Amino acid sequence: MTDVPFPDAQVHFGVFFQGVNHSTIWSDPASGSQIDFETFRRIIATAERGLFDAFFLGEGLRLREQNGKILDLDIAGRPDAIAQLAALAGITSHIGLVATQNTTYNEPADLARRLAGLDLLSGGRAGWNAVTTDNAWTGENFRRGGYLDHAQRYERAGEFIRIARELWDAWPDNAIATARDSATWLEPGAVRTVIRDNEHFQVSITPTLPRSAQGHPVIFQAGDSPAGREFAAANADVIFSRHGTHFDAALAFADDIRARLRAVGRPDDDIKILPGTQIVLAERESEVEEKARWVLESQFTGQTALSLVGQVWGRDLSDLDPDGPLPAEDPVPTVISGARGAQRDGQDPVSIARQWRALAEAKNLSLRQVAIETSQRSGFQGTPGQVADELTRWVRHGATHGFNISPYLVPTGLDEIVDWLVPELQERGSYRTGYTGTTLRHHLGLRPPLTRR
C-alpha cells in the first residue's frame, strides 16, 4: 500500500459475548445455551485458536422490563462475569479476559480486589470494562436505590478508577521477600493504606494482593457522548465505539479521540479503539447476499419486530400479525420505560410512524419488513478476501485498531472468522501469526499503566 498513514498496522480482534438479545440468533438449532459453561468454553477456545486479543463479557444487573413484564426477547441470563472469566482463565493460556463491571453500584475495595485476583491468577490477562448506570430501575436492586445524573455518574466512575489504581499500586515490586531466611514473607511497611474522603467515597483500604505481570487490569470504556469521550481520554486504555460499519464515521471518531488524548497530555496512540461489529462471511461472492439476508431475517423474528415497533407506538402490539401491516392508528405519545433499554430518544413517534407508513406503501412492506428496513445495522459482509481487504484498510488508515466482534450465533459464530477470515488477514500481513506475549496489555500493544510510567 502507498500513501497509507499506518502501513504496518495489524487488526486486533476481541469477541463480545452479549447473552440473549435480538442480534444473537438464540433460537437457531445451532445455537448453544446462553448460560452453560460449555458454550463459553467453546467460544473462548475458538477465539484463542484464532489469536484474538480478548474475550469480553457483557453484564446486566437487572432484567429488562416493559410495562412490568420481563422482556424475554432481550438479555435474560448472564452469569457473573468475574466468576465466569476466572473459570475460563484455567482452561486458556493467552487470551485476555474482560469483565464488564459497574462503577455506580459497586465499591472500590471489593471490585478492585476481585479484578486484581482475576489478573493475578490469569498471569496478567484481566481487563475491566468500566461502565456507569444512571437509571433508577437498576438502583432498585440496591439498598440506596435511586440513581445518579449523567455528570455525577462519570465523576463517581473517575474517582472509582483512581482509587482502584491506587490499590493496585499499593504493593511495590519488592513487597514480597525473596530470601527463604527472611523474618517475614511480606516486607514490613511495604504495603500502603489508601485513604479517601470525598463526596463519593469514604474509605480506608489496605489491599491484599500484589500487582500482576501486566501491572494493572486493562481498562476499557464505552461511551460516545462528549462526556464519555472525555472520560475515556482521561482514564481508559481501550475504548469501544458504535462506529463499526461506516469508515468515515469511524475515522472521525478516531480523530476526535486522538485530539482529546493530546489535550490531556497523553500520546495520541495511547488508547486502542475497538468498535463493535458483526461479520457475515460466505465462501463465494454469489452467496453473500443470501447469507446476509438469512442472518437479518433470523435476528428480526416476528416477536422482535412487534417489540421494536411497539416502542414507537407506545403500546403492546402482540395482538398484531408481524407479517401484516403497520398499526392503522397513530402512536400514543408516551415515555418508554428506561428498563426496556434502547429507545428512539428525542424523536417524535408520530412523525416516525408517518415515515414508516410511507416506506411500507412505497415498497409494499409488512410490519416486520419495516422493522428490518429501518434498523440500525452494523458490520461487514462479503467473502473472506473482501472483508480482509476492508478491515486492513480501516486499521491502516487509522479509523480503528481492530474490532470487537459480536457473533450472530454462539458458540459456532466465530468458526468461519477464525477458519476463513484470519488466514486471509495473515496473508496480507495484517494479523498476527502467533502470540508474542502472555498479557492482555502486550497483545494490545499498550504502554504501562498511567500511574506506572
Side-chain angles (χ1 to χ4, degrees), residues 188-410:
V191 180
R192 300 193 309 274
T193 296
V194 175
I195 298 173
R196 274 283 191 277
D197 187 353
N198 56 42
E199 178 185 358
H200 295 289
F201 301 104
Q202 295 83 40
V203 297
S204 177
I205 311 165
T206 305
T208 60
L209 292 172
R211 285 190 299 272
S212 76
Q214 69 173 349
H216 292 179
V218 174
I219 294 178
F220 293 69
Q221 197 267 339
D224 201 46
S225 68
R229 297 184 192 199
E230 284 296 307
F231 179 83
N235 297 284
D237 300 305
V238 182
I239 186 168
F240 297 132
S241 86
R242 62 185 180 185
H243 303 292
T245 303
H246 302 295
F247 176 86
D248 290 344
L251 183 59
F253 177 85
D255 285 341
D256 181 68
I257 294 299
R258 286 188 275 265
R260 291 175 191 271
L261 285 168
R262 290 191 294 270
V264 298
R266 295 175 65 181
D268 64 7
D269 64 346
D270 215 31
I271 283 181
K272 301 303 179 186
I273 302 169
L274 299 177
T277 200
Q278 175 183 277
I279 297 175
V280 178
L281 300 173
E283 290 187 277
R284 288 177 287 274
E285 190 170 358
S286 60
E287 300 170 346
V288 171
E289 186 175 347
E290 182 181 356
K291 178 81 165 285
R293 174 57 56 174
W294 171 80
V295 170
L296 192 58
E297 291 183 351
S298 298
Q299 290 171 328
F300 283 82
T301 64
Q303 293 91 333
T304 295
L306 290 170
S307 175
L308 294 173
V309 174
Q311 289 185 62
V312 173
W313 258 259
R315 71 173 184 87
D316 183 356
L317 300 181
S318 59
D319 58 317
L320 298 183
D321 178 1
D323 293 316
L326 290 166
E329 74 281 1
D330 280 341
V332 178
T334 183
V335 177
I336 301 296
S337 166
R340 171 60 183 87
Q343 302 175 46
R344 300 177 185 270
D345 291 331
Q347 297 188 52
D348 173 23
V350 175
S351 66
I352 293 173
R354 288 172 182 163
Q355 294 169 21
W356 286 7
R357 287 198 189 105
L359 176 66
E361 183 176 353
K363 294 189 174 183
N364 193 28
L365 301 178
S366 68
L367 181 152
R368 178 166 172 252
Q369 290 169 329
V370 169
I372 292 173
E373 285 282 324
T374 60
S375 65
Q376 294 182 345
R377 300 188 289 276
S378 66
F380 301 88
Q381 59 190 51
T383 65
Q386 289 171 335
V387 174
D389 284 340
E390 187 65 1
L391 302 190
T392 300
R393 180 174 80 94
W394 278 52
V395 300
R396 293 190 169 172
H397 282 82
T400 184
H401 296 95
F403 301 88
N404 204 35
I405 299 170
S406 294
Y408 53 83
L409 276 178
V410 294

Side-chain angles (χ1 to χ4, degrees), residues 388 416-429 431:
E416 293 174 351
I417 291 169
V418 170
D419 295 335
W420 299 352
L421 179 58
V422 165
E424 291 282 352
L425 290 166
Q426 290 170 330
E427 193 173 288
R428 289 156 175 76
Y431 197 83

Side-chain angles (χ1 to χ4, degrees), residues 15-351:
V15 56
F16 179 25
F17 190 106
Q18 299 188 65
V20 175
N21 66 95
H22 85 261
S23 65
T24 302
I25 308 172
W26 55 267
S27 58
D28 189 273
S31 180
S33 166
Q34 299 289 315
I35 56 176
D36 286 354
F37 184 74
E38 176 57 22
T39 298
F40 293 85
R41 185 206 65 77
R42 168 75 187 277
I43 199 166
I44 200 171
T46 303
E48 190 165 61
R49 177 168 65 84
L51 307 174
F52 277 46
D53 291 54
F55 177 84
F56 169 64
L57 281 177
E59 184 160 74
L61 297 175
R62 187 180 176 104
L63 294 180
R64 298 194 187 279
E65 303 166 10
Q66 180 62 47
N67 299 325
K69 298 179 181 179
I70 298 298
L71 187 76
D72 53 2
L73 296 170
D74 211 321
I75 294 161
R78 283 172 166 172
D80 175 74
I82 293 179
Q84 194 67 274
L85 293 173
L88 294 170
I91 60 170
T92 55
S93 57
H94 286 84
I95 193 167
L97 307 160
V98 185
T100 299
Q101 296 290 296
N102 197 296
T103 60
T104 306
Y105 297 115
N106 276 297
E107 296 297 329
D110 176 57
L111 182 55
R113 181 176 184 272
R114 290 192 292 129
L115 289 166
L118 176 63
D119 203 28
L120 197 63
L121 294 172
S122 66
R125 293 189 282 138
W128 171 22
N129 179 33
V131 299
T132 68
T133 299
D134 64 352
N135 56 59
W137 63 276
T138 297
E140 290 174 357
N141 284 8
F142 301 92
R143 180 173 57 84
R144 64 178 175 273
Y147 61 94
L148 296 175
D149 67 31
H150 191 80
Q152 282 188 313
R153 63 186 171 107
Y154 277 121
E155 289 174 9
R156 178 183 167 92
E159 181 63 14
F160 198 120
I161 290 174
R162 284 188 287 274
I163 294 173
R165 283 190 165 128
E166 281 198 58
L167 293 171
W168 296 332
D169 284 337
W171 285 54
D173 293 333
N174 61 354
I176 299 173
T178 56
R180 289 286 183 181
D181 58 356
S182 297
T184 59
W185 180 76
L186 189 66
E187 292 291 344
V191 180
R192 300 193 309 274
T193 296
V194 175
I195 298 173
R196 274 283 191 277
D197 187 353
N198 56 42
E199 178 185 358
H200 295 289
F201 301 104
Q202 295 83 40
V203 297
S204 177
I205 311 165
T206 305
T208 60
L209 292 172
R211 285 190 299 272
S212 76
Q214 69 173 349
H216 292 179
V218 174
I219 294 178
F220 293 69
Q221 197 267 339
D224 201 46
S225 68
R229 297 184 192 199
E230 284 296 307
F231 179 83
N235 297 284
D237 300 305
V238 182
I239 186 168
F240 297 132
S241 86
R242 62 185 180 185
H243 303 292
T245 303
H246 302 295
F247 176 86
D248 290 344
L251 183 59
F253 177 85
D255 285 341
D256 181 68
I257 294 299
R258 286 188 275 265
R260 291 175 191 271
L261 285 168
R262 290 191 294 270
V264 298
R266 295 175 65 181
D268 64 7
D269 64 346
D270 215 31
I271 283 181
K272 301 303 179 186
I273 302 169
L274 299 177
T277 200
Q278 175 183 277
I279 297 175
V280 178
L281 300 173
E283 290 187 277
R284 288 177 287 274
E285 190 170 358
S286 60
E287 300 170 346
V288 171
E289 186 175 347
E290 182 181 356
K291 178 81 165 285
R293 174 57 56 174
W294 171 80
V295 170
L296 192 58
E297 291 183 351
S298 298
Q299 290 171 328
F300 283 82
T301 64
Q303 293 91 333
T304 295
L306 290 170
S307 175
L308 294 173
V309 174
Q311 289 185 62
V312 173
W313 258 259
R315 71 173 184 87
D316 183 356
L317 300 181
S318 59
D319 58 317
L320 298 183
D321 178 1
D323 293 316
L326 290 166
E329 74 281 1
D330 280 341
V332 178
T334 183
V335 177
I336 301 296
S337 166
R340 171 60 183 87
Q343 302 175 46
R344 300 177 185 270
D345 291 331
Q347 297 188 52
D348 173 23
V350 175
S351 66

